[in-house]
mmCIF file of all heavy atoms in Angstrom:
data_model
loop_
_atom_site.group_PDB
_atom_site.id
_atom_site.type_symbol
_atom_site.label_atom_id
_atom_site.label_comp_id
_atom_site.label_asym_id
_atom_site.label_seq_id
_atom_site.Cartn_x
_atom_site.Cartn_y
_atom_site.Cartn_z
ATOM 1 N N GLY A 70 -29.167 -128.362 221.445
ATOM 2 C CA GLY A 70 -30.325 -128.551 220.513
ATOM 3 C C GLY A 70 -31.423 -127.536 220.743
ATOM 4 O O GLY A 70 -32.153 -127.187 219.699
ATOM 5 N N SER A 132 -37.150 -116.111 212.186
ATOM 6 C CA SER A 132 -36.984 -117.410 212.721
ATOM 7 C C SER A 132 -37.240 -118.427 211.688
ATOM 8 O O SER A 132 -37.890 -118.068 210.614
ATOM 9 C CB SER A 132 -37.801 -117.662 213.859
ATOM 10 O OG SER A 132 -39.186 -117.527 213.468
ATOM 11 N N ALA A 133 -36.780 -119.685 211.900
ATOM 12 C CA ALA A 133 -37.216 -120.784 210.954
ATOM 13 C C ALA A 133 -38.795 -120.818 210.817
ATOM 14 O O ALA A 133 -39.192 -121.091 209.723
ATOM 15 C CB ALA A 133 -36.607 -122.122 211.307
ATOM 16 N N THR A 134 -39.243 -120.744 211.879
ATOM 17 C CA THR A 134 -40.884 -120.780 211.915
ATOM 18 C C THR A 134 -41.417 -119.757 210.978
ATOM 19 O O THR A 134 -42.299 -120.020 210.198
ATOM 20 C CB THR A 134 -41.437 -120.650 213.331
ATOM 21 O OG1 THR A 134 -40.676 -121.569 214.250
ATOM 22 C CG2 THR A 134 -42.892 -120.969 213.403
ATOM 23 N N HIS A 161 -39.958 -131.269 213.512
ATOM 24 C CA HIS A 161 -40.341 -130.211 214.300
ATOM 25 C C HIS A 161 -41.689 -129.634 213.954
ATOM 26 O O HIS A 161 -41.889 -129.645 212.700
ATOM 27 C CB HIS A 161 -39.221 -129.113 214.424
ATOM 28 C CG HIS A 161 -39.439 -128.067 215.407
ATOM 29 N ND1 HIS A 161 -40.211 -127.063 215.312
ATOM 30 C CD2 HIS A 161 -38.700 -127.919 216.696
ATOM 31 C CE1 HIS A 161 -40.023 -126.188 216.363
ATOM 32 N NE2 HIS A 161 -39.081 -126.698 217.122
ATOM 33 N N THR A 163 -42.513 -126.807 213.366
ATOM 34 C CA THR A 163 -42.216 -125.693 212.393
ATOM 35 C C THR A 163 -42.440 -126.234 210.972
ATOM 36 O O THR A 163 -42.817 -125.470 210.103
ATOM 37 C CB THR A 163 -40.810 -125.328 212.641
ATOM 38 O OG1 THR A 163 -40.602 -124.347 213.793
ATOM 39 C CG2 THR A 163 -40.339 -124.439 211.424
ATOM 40 N N THR A 211 -37.006 -132.884 207.752
ATOM 41 C CA THR A 211 -35.900 -132.413 208.502
ATOM 42 C C THR A 211 -34.577 -132.996 208.154
ATOM 43 O O THR A 211 -34.607 -134.231 207.846
ATOM 44 C CB THR A 211 -36.133 -132.452 210.050
ATOM 45 O OG1 THR A 211 -35.113 -131.756 210.825
ATOM 46 C CG2 THR A 211 -36.069 -133.901 210.470
ATOM 47 N N ALA A 213 -32.242 -133.484 210.378
ATOM 48 C CA ALA A 213 -32.025 -134.435 211.447
ATOM 49 C C ALA A 213 -33.040 -134.069 212.511
ATOM 50 O O ALA A 213 -33.454 -133.093 212.706
ATOM 51 C CB ALA A 213 -30.664 -134.212 212.098
ATOM 52 N N ASN A 215 -34.754 -133.428 215.882
ATOM 53 C CA ASN A 215 -34.246 -132.777 217.122
ATOM 54 C C ASN A 215 -34.502 -133.468 218.334
ATOM 55 O O ASN A 215 -34.193 -133.175 219.537
ATOM 56 C CB ASN A 215 -34.780 -131.348 217.181
ATOM 57 C CG ASN A 215 -36.305 -131.272 217.419
ATOM 58 O OD1 ASN A 215 -37.022 -132.002 216.952
ATOM 59 N ND2 ASN A 215 -36.796 -130.270 218.147
ATOM 60 N N ASP A 240 -35.839 -128.819 206.475
ATOM 61 C CA ASP A 240 -35.556 -128.008 207.634
ATOM 62 C C ASP A 240 -34.254 -128.501 208.193
ATOM 63 O O ASP A 240 -34.088 -129.576 208.861
ATOM 64 C CB ASP A 240 -36.748 -128.503 208.683
ATOM 65 C CG ASP A 240 -36.568 -127.995 210.068
ATOM 66 O OD1 ASP A 240 -35.335 -127.289 210.295
ATOM 67 O OD2 ASP A 240 -37.375 -128.030 210.886
ATOM 68 N N VAL A 242 -32.493 -126.950 210.682
ATOM 69 C CA VAL A 242 -32.243 -126.198 211.850
ATOM 70 C C VAL A 242 -31.551 -127.152 212.858
ATOM 71 O O VAL A 242 -30.548 -126.713 213.438
ATOM 72 C CB VAL A 242 -33.544 -125.745 212.540
ATOM 73 C CG1 VAL A 242 -33.302 -125.099 213.927
ATOM 74 C CG2 VAL A 242 -34.310 -124.729 211.654
ATOM 75 N N HIS A 243 -31.894 -128.357 212.978
ATOM 76 C CA HIS A 243 -31.221 -129.159 214.047
ATOM 77 C C HIS A 243 -29.799 -129.562 213.660
ATOM 78 O O HIS A 243 -28.865 -129.444 214.357
ATOM 79 C CB HIS A 243 -31.982 -130.417 214.516
ATOM 80 C CG HIS A 243 -31.401 -131.067 215.593
ATOM 81 N ND1 HIS A 243 -31.401 -130.574 216.895
ATOM 82 C CD2 HIS A 243 -30.491 -132.180 215.698
ATOM 83 C CE1 HIS A 243 -30.691 -131.333 217.761
ATOM 84 N NE2 HIS A 243 -30.127 -132.233 216.883
ATOM 85 N N SER A 263 -31.421 -121.632 211.424
ATOM 86 C CA SER A 263 -31.366 -120.524 212.292
ATOM 87 C C SER A 263 -29.992 -120.288 212.826
ATOM 88 O O SER A 263 -29.294 -121.173 213.256
ATOM 89 C CB SER A 263 -32.356 -120.887 213.427
ATOM 90 O OG SER A 263 -33.703 -121.012 212.877
ATOM 91 N N TYR A 265 -29.026 -118.997 215.727
ATOM 92 C CA TYR A 265 -28.880 -119.237 217.136
ATOM 93 C C TYR A 265 -28.622 -120.674 217.489
ATOM 94 O O TYR A 265 -28.315 -121.027 218.525
ATOM 95 C CB TYR A 265 -30.044 -118.696 217.916
ATOM 96 C CG TYR A 265 -31.299 -119.528 217.862
ATOM 97 C CD1 TYR A 265 -31.586 -120.453 218.912
ATOM 98 C CD2 TYR A 265 -32.146 -119.338 216.885
ATOM 99 C CE1 TYR A 265 -32.721 -121.153 218.919
ATOM 100 C CE2 TYR A 265 -33.421 -120.189 216.790
ATOM 101 C CZ TYR A 265 -33.586 -121.047 217.826
ATOM 102 O OH TYR A 265 -34.765 -121.803 217.785
ATOM 103 N N LYS A 266 -28.854 -121.585 216.429
ATOM 104 C CA LYS A 266 -28.532 -122.942 216.525
ATOM 105 C C LYS A 266 -27.037 -123.237 215.914
ATOM 106 O O LYS A 266 -26.568 -124.325 215.867
ATOM 107 C CB LYS A 266 -29.529 -123.927 215.814
ATOM 108 C CG LYS A 266 -30.853 -123.706 216.204
ATOM 109 C CD LYS A 266 -31.276 -124.573 217.389
ATOM 110 C CE LYS A 266 -32.803 -124.660 217.328
ATOM 111 N NZ LYS A 266 -33.485 -124.825 218.611
ATOM 112 N N SER A 273 -32.839 -116.109 210.998
ATOM 113 C CA SER A 273 -32.752 -117.453 210.254
ATOM 114 C C SER A 273 -32.658 -117.161 208.722
ATOM 115 O O SER A 273 -32.878 -116.012 208.212
ATOM 116 C CB SER A 273 -34.094 -118.236 210.461
ATOM 117 O OG SER A 273 -34.221 -118.335 211.917
HETATM 118 C C1 PLP B 724 -35.564 -129.168 213.696
HETATM 119 C C2 PLP B 724 -36.108 -127.807 214.102
HETATM 120 N N1 PLP B 724 -36.816 -127.092 213.309
HETATM 121 C C3 PLP B 724 -37.344 -125.801 213.576
HETATM 122 C C4 PLP B 724 -37.051 -125.157 214.789
HETATM 123 C C5 PLP B 724 -37.582 -123.777 215.116
HETATM 124 O O1 PLP B 724 -36.626 -122.885 214.868
HETATM 125 P P1 PLP B 724 -36.926 -121.318 215.178
HETATM 126 O O2 PLP B 724 -36.878 -121.118 216.522
HETATM 127 O O3 PLP B 724 -35.828 -120.592 214.375
HETATM 128 O O4 PLP B 724 -38.277 -121.112 214.613
HETATM 129 C C6 PLP B 724 -36.188 -125.892 215.779
HETATM 130 C C7 PLP B 724 -35.971 -125.442 217.065
HETATM 131 O O5 PLP B 724 -35.828 -126.121 218.083
HETATM 132 C C8 PLP B 724 -35.807 -127.205 215.384
HETATM 133 O O6 PLP B 724 -35.083 -128.013 216.237
#
Side-chain angles (χ1 to χ4, degrees):
S132 59
T134 306
H161 188 282
T163 286
T211 189
N215 68 323
D240 172 355
V242 176
H243 188 74
S263 298
Y265 75 99
K266 307 269 201 211
S273 302

